[in-house]
């Protein structure tokens, strides 16, 4: 445990060996079947004049969850420890030893505690050193998006956007073509005597 008196920071980290589960979790791919599903949803939404409808949003949420850390479990462990009487406040968290923090957050996560009193905060990092959660007294938990989550969001949204634009162009083209044929026909039936 490294303690810096200058800024009142406690850094805690656990050593870990990279597991197959962790590396598999971060190797998300946009498969052809997933692309087809996104294109299908984009066409359906374009037809209904809805951009990123509920079905797509649910699909996106499910795909991002595949690479996201289990924040709910981390928060649950922390809250359980706080309510069980094992820790009364942030001061006790700051004074906790490295082993206890590894048990609380689990390896490969790291935690860093800063400040005192109402300005104190707990920062939780993943195995890549990216902050995934922050707890601040009086504010609560804030989630931080990882690079892997951002990449999945970006891939899904760009695929959807392209498919949606293509579907809207096709619909607009059909409407113009259909509308022009109707106009030509109605002009041919136009009665000049009236």
């Amino acid at each position: 445990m490294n303690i810096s008196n200058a800024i009142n920071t406690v850094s805690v980290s656990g050593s870990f060996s990279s597991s197959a589960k962790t590396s598999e979790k971060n190797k998300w791919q946009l498969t052809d079947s997933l692309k087809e599903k996104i294109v299908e949803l984009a066409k359906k939404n374009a037809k209904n004049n809805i951009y990123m409808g509920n079905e797509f949003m649910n699909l996106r949420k499910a795909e991002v969850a595949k690479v996201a850390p289990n924040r709910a479990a981390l928060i649950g462990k922390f809250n359980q420890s706080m309510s069980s009487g094992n820790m009364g406040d942030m001061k006790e968290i700051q004074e906790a030893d490295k082993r206890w923090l590894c048990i609380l957050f689990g390896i490969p996560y790291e935690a860093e505690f800063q400040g005192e009193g109402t300005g104190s905060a707990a920062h939780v990092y993943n195995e890549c050193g990216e902050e995934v959660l922050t707890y601040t007294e009086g504010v609560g938990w804030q989630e931080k998006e990882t690079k892997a989550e951002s990449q999945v969001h970006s891939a899904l949204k760009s695929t959807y956007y392209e498919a949606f634009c293509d579907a809207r162009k096709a619909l607009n083209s059909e409407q113009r073509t259909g509308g022009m044929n109707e106009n030509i026909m109605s002009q041919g039936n136009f009665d000049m005597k009236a």
Side-chain angles (χ1 to χ4, degrees):
M1 184 182 302
N2 302 325
I3 301 174
S4 172
N5 292 332
I7 57 173
N8 196 18
T9 301
V10 179
S11 298
V12 180
S13 61
S15 60
F16 68 96
S17 59
S18 182
S19 65
K21 185 179 179 183
T22 301
S23 62
E24 285 175 15
K25 188 175 189 177
N26 291 330
K27 289 189 179 186
W28 178 88
Q29 290 185 349
L30 183 60
T31 62
D32 290 338
S33 62
L34 183 55
K35 283 181 191 177
E36 289 172 12
K37 178 71 174 169
I38 292 169
V39 168
E40 177 186 315
L41 291 173
K43 286 179 181 179
K44 178 181 171 184
N45 289 340
K47 195 177 236 181
N48 295 326
N49 205 23
I50 298 170
Y51 186 72
M52 291 191 182
N54 289 335
E55 286 182 77
F56 174 74
M57 297 303 278
N58 291 337
L59 173 68
R60 194 173 100 187
K61 185 177 180 180
E63 291 299 316
V64 170
K66 292 177 181 178
V67 298
N70 190 346
R71 291 180 180 93
L74 291 170
I75 292 169
K77 288 177 185 179
F78 184 88
N79 290 339
Q80 181 181 13
S81 295
M82 292 293 283
S83 66
S84 68
N86 294 341
M87 301 182 304
D89 56 20
M90 289 296 276
K91 183 178 181 193
E92 290 183 40
I93 295 170
Q94 287 178 327
E95 293 171 355
D97 69 348
K98 183 177 177 178
R99 258 185 13 210
W100 186 88
L101 290 167
C102 288
I103 291 169
L104 175 63
F105 291 113
I107 294 173
Y109 294 100
E110 299 178 359
E112 178 180 282
F113 301 93
Q114 297 177 318
E116 290 183 14
T118 57
S120 59
H123 305 276
V124 181
Y125 301 90
N126 67 7
E127 64 273 11
C128 298
E130 297 174 287
E131 187 173 12
V132 296
L133 284 170
T134 300
Y135 179 82
T136 309
E137 280 191 59
V139 176
W141 289 103
Q142 298 96 40
E143 295 183 5
K144 309 288 182 163
E145 189 171 82
T146 64
K147 288 179 186 175
E149 290 171 293
S150 294
Q151 290 170 345
V152 173
H153 276 298
S154 180
L156 294 172
K157 288 191 294 189
S158 66
T159 302
Y160 180 92
Y161 176 78
E162 289 175 22
F164 185 85
C165 288
D166 290 345
R168 290 298 295 167
K169 285 178 188 175
L171 287 170
N172 288 338
S173 177
E174 285 176 20
Q175 288 175 349
R176 272 188 259 132
T177 305
M180 287 177 64
N181 289 341
E182 289 174 13
N183 284 340
I184 292 170
M185 292 178 82
S186 64
Q187 286 177 356
N189 294 335
F190 182 67
D191 186 4
M192 294 289 282
K193 294 179 190 174

